Amino acid sequence: HLSPVASSTSAAIFLDGTYLWSDYLFRTRVDWEQAENVSLFVRYRDNKNYSACSFTPTAVSIQNTVNGVQQTVIRNKYNLNISRNRVWLVAQVEGSAVHCYFGSTLLAEADIPNILESGGVGVQVWDVTHNAAHITLHEARVASSFDASSILSLMPSYVSE
């Protein structure tokens, strides 16, 4: 389980040793039990420098944070077409491009000229209520962006336009 302590609204977990990674596909399979937002961090350096695919039940946004200044680069709405048990959330970063997927369905993509050149991966949950956000993280996998299309072709599609 990933959930905050009683006095907090968010919790995060990171894969240690990934700070030198540059182009990759990061996918997680979760039970989205309760959270206003689940974010996948890419090119994460520290809490003031990272990019993220941030998922809510009805929208996804790509955010870029540099020196503590967060910018929402794009926000797209979608319709969730399944239960939120064992769903795949996916973030891909290649060069300056970030792609966010729900299963195999591309929900948002953006070019970020000032994105970090390298950085690690992580997952964050957030909810407006203290100690309310929680997910169960079943899997977290990282692969080279070179393998992205073959991996995505094997994933389920969850979203209806």
Side-chain angles (χ1 to χ4, degrees), residues 57-70:
T58 59
V60 64
S61 57
I62 296 175
Q63 299 171 333
N64 192 48
T65 302
V66 177
N67 296 324
V69 178
Q70 186 179 79

Side-chain angles (χ1 to χ4, degrees), residues 75-150:
R75 184 175 189 273
N76 290 338
K77 293 186 176 189
Y78 61 86
N79 294 316
L80 199 58
N81 195 20
I82 54 142
S83 90
R84 293 189 277 175
N85 292 326
R86 298 199 183 240
V87 295
W88 287 99
L89 303 177
V90 183
Q92 180 184 8
V93 61
E94 186 169 19
S96 60
V98 175
H99 301 80
C100 305
Y101 298 86
F102 199 69
S104 63
T105 305
L106 178 63
L107 298 178
E109 60 184 327
D111 185 67
I112 305 173
N114 63 336
I115 194 171
L116 296 175
E117 290 183 13
S118 64
V121 298
V123 180
Q124 179 187 50
V125 295
W126 178 87
D127 197 281
V128 67
T129 305
H130 282 66
N131 198 31
H134 57 279
I135 63 170
T136 299
L137 182 62
H138 293 281
E139 289 183 60
R141 296 181 179 206
V142 182
S144 167
S145 275
F146 180 78
D147 299 322
S149 61
S150 61

Side-chain angles (χ1 to χ4, degrees), residues 15-88:
L15 185 57
D16 195 22
T18 60
Y19 68 97
L20 293 177
W21 294 0
S22 57
D23 294 343
Y24 50 81
L25 181 84
F26 175 43
R27 62 196 193 275
T28 60
R29 191 166 57 141
V30 303
D31 288 342
W32 189 335
E33 294 147 353
Q34 180 176 334
E36 180 69 27
N37 182 291
V38 178
S39 294
L40 300 185
F41 292 118
V42 294
R43 301 243 177 111
Y44 183 90
R45 181 162 302 146
D46 56 37
N47 65 354
K48 294 183 182 219
N49 295 281
Y50 59 87
S51 296
C53 290
S54 295
F55 300 87
T56 74
T58 59
V60 64
S61 57
I62 296 175
Q63 299 171 333
N64 192 48
T65 302
V66 177
N67 296 324
V69 178
Q70 186 179 79
Q71 173 192 12
T72 298
V73 179
I74 190 170
R75 184 175 189 273
N76 290 338
K77 293 186 176 189
Y78 61 86
N79 294 316
L80 199 58
N81 195 20
I82 54 142
S83 90
R84 293 189 277 175
N85 292 326
R86 298 199 183 240
V87 295
W88 287 99

